[in-house]
Structures are given as structure tokens and as C-alpha cells.
Amino acid sequence: MANVVVVGSQWGDEGKGKIVDWLSERADVVVRFQGGHNAGHTLVIDGISYKLAMLPSGVVREGKLSMIGNGVVVDPYAFIAEIAKLKGQGVEVTPEKLRLADNATLILSLHRELDQWRESSNPGTRIGTTGRGIGPAYEDKVGRRAIRVMDLKTLDTLRPKIERLLSHHNALRRGYGQPEVAVETIYAELADVAAPLIPYIDTVWRLLDQHRRAGDRILFEGAQGALLDIDHGTYPFVTSSNTVAAQAATGSGLGPGAIGYVLGITKAYTTRVGEGPFPTEQKNDVGEFLGSRGKEFGTNTGRKRRCGWFDAVLVRQIVQVSGINGIALTKLDVLDGLDEIQVCVKYRLDGEELDYFPAAQGAQARVEPIYETVPGWKESTRGARSWAELPAQAVKYVRYIEELIGAPVAMLSTSPERDDTILVQDPFQD
């Protein structure tokens, strides 16, 4: 049996939550390996909607072990609140069900404040972050001044670490004209969350290795999308972590040899939240149609998503960069009823054709999509659970996408409901 990595192959919001939840029935362990509580995953199970941000999607399934890996930045208050929210929906998230990496970095109140000041200080350079402190927390991690989850177990050693952190942050705060933070303020914040978090803390890399050696099937859950990757995304309009499949190894502590299959979650059209280039964006009736039919609003932020046609160039590039073995195509039903559908197959840049997305910011802003037009279908695909239930033209559209991106469709999702899924290839099978 193969361990499976799930990544988004676009700018996020592709429907990873449902797919991970669906796959978790076949998994023994589900692990988040990057990002923070800025990544909203919606699961619909028996008509009940669960909205997750930080916790792995496996927590809503009984008998599964979920883990938060070292690659995740953890807001302790968001962690506590999300567990409490699920408890209110009848899902108990106990330490026996969820483990938290001791070497993960913590998000503090000063990270959230800095994030928000940056976004509001200069509209000309807005990135479009959620303002939840994700980026500043990663900066402190790389700057070797972060407070980590393990530090909550030894509060008596925290003050020197906080002083080192504040020597950096108070200088920034002065630059923004904001009051400095006292060591005792941050210490009190950490002391407040220590008791609730400590029961969940574990050496996740070691625990994962034990499960791998025991033959358990591991599902690695990514957040956001690969086009938001700090290296391979639309820089600087990206997130602050690596979101491609290789991060599953680094962000969990389990070596790359443990990864057997990479599944790329891919929406049948394209959406994006926040600033940055979007070659196939439709600022017209088509975009409004896709947004309305697809209910394109952020799970946690409520922000309206930008919508456009499927961009095969971008997805093909992510298939290559992320080593995707197969895709799970989602939201095909949103395209129901269209007379014709456009697909971007190449770009035009300064009079020349390109079959890839350039790295330079200026070039990314200037590329023009070259479309192929394919017939739509009038019949409904919503709720289909076999190929035979799909309109012939919908099947042709799926096959056309496979050809353009160079990867097969392993799964096809036809509604938010867990069981409305057509399985073509089980990613857990070698």
C-alpha cells in the first residue's frame, strides 16, 4: 500500500477537505504538513458541514489518528477554539485522536498584529494575506527566534527566548509607530495556553516512523495550493511556506522515500483569493456565474474568490513541479448548463507563445491566455457516482483536461457530499 500526499494544484480552494476526508476512510493516519489556520477546509458529512482551518480533516472520522507536523505554524488559541467548536458539533478531539509536533512554531498575538499592519500600511504592495500572523511566524522560524510548541512544557526557560524575540519585534513595532510589547505580556499569553496544549504534544516524526514501520497507511494533507508555494508560486503573491508535495516529507519529519503517490486536487475551472496574477480571470458574467454556482467564498474569511476558466498551462506546470501522479477533479457540476467552455492551452507574452508560466512578476502580469473552446453540456453531473451517469460531453471535457496536463484523473468529485465521488484509481494502491 502506498502513502499518499494530497496537494492543491491551483491557488487553493480546490476541495481538498472533502477529498482528504474521503480518502481518510482508507488511511490509518492523517497528517497536516504546512501552513496554518489560514487554510479553510469544508467537509459535508451526512448533511452536516464541518469547517476546519488547522486540524487535519481526519479528525472527523472515528478510529483515525491525526497529526499536526512540524511544518505547520500553530496559533494556540485557534487550536483550542477549533477543538471546542467541533465538540459543539458532537466530534470529540482528544489527545488519543490528535498529536501536535513538539518542534512546530507558535503564532503569537504580535505576529497577527504585524501581519495586519503590513497589509494596511501600503495598499500598493498588498499581498492579500488573511492577517492571521502566518507569514511573520514563519519569518521568526527562519530567523531562529521563534517560540516553539515544546517551549510550553518548560515555562521557566521562556523569558530569555521571549527577550530575543522582542528585540526584533519591538524594533519593528517602533517603525510602525506602535507600542512595544513587554516580556511579561507574551509570557502570560503562553502560560495561558500551555495546559490545554500540553496533552496533545508529541514527537511526531518518531510517531510517524513507527506507524510507517507497522505498515499503516499515511495520508499527508496539504493546505492552500501549489501556485501559492513560496518558491514555485506567483511570487511575491504567495503564502509563506512550501506547498508542493515535497514539503510533506520536510514538514512531517518522514523521509521522501515514504511517499508513494501524489494526488493533486484540481478544480474544473480556476479560482483565486487575494492579490496577484490570474491569466484566465473572468471579470464578467462568466466569472459571476462560476462564483455564484460554485459558492466561491472563503471558508474561514468569507472573502469572495476571483473566478475564471481552467488554466491547463498552470496545472501542467504544477503536475511537473509537484510530481503529481494523478488528480482529483472537483466541482465539475458547476459547469453544467454552459453552451461552451474555454480552456487555456498556452500563453502569449510580448508576441511570443509560451507553454509555461514565467517566473518574473512583470511577465506574469502581462501573459495573455490562448484559449481552445469546447462544447458544454446541458445535463446535470451533480451527484454522479459512475462514469455512466455523466453526460458524454462532460466525459470528453475530463479526457481533454487529462491530455493537456499530462496526468490522469484518479478521482472525480461531483458535489460536496462525501459519497458523490467517482473513483478511477485508488491512490493507496501501489
Side-chain angles (χ1 to χ4, degrees), residues 255-285:
I259 297 171
Y261 191 98
V262 179
L263 181 69
I265 315 302
T266 308
K267 197 176 285 186
Y269 50 101
T270 311
T271 62
R272 174 164 201 170
V273 171
E275 308 298 322
F278 186 169
T280 64
E281 183 175 11
Q282 299 295 301
K283 299 179 180 180
N284 51 29
D285 291 345

Side-chain angles (χ1 to χ4, degrees), residues 112-158:
R112 294 190 295 272
E113 292 169 349
L114 178 58
D115 204 356
Q116 292 161 14
W117 293 335
R118 284 175 172 170
E119 279 292 284
S120 61
S121 64
N122 189 349
T125 57
R126 282 175 55 95
I127 301 300
T129 77
T130 58
R132 300 188 176 190
I134 310 297
Y138 274 118
E139 289 175 33
D140 283 345
K141 175 180 179 178
V142 175
R144 294 166 291 187
R145 55 182 171 265
I147 307 297
R148 301 203 286 176
V149 168
M150 65 181 73
D151 294 323
L152 297 175
K153 287 186 171 183
T154 53
L155 293 177
D156 58 327
T157 68
L158 268 179

Side-chain angles (χ1 to χ4, degrees), residues 232-243:
H232 300 287
T234 49
Y235 190 91
F237 304 101
V238 291
T239 194
S240 299
S241 62
N242 287 110
T243 57

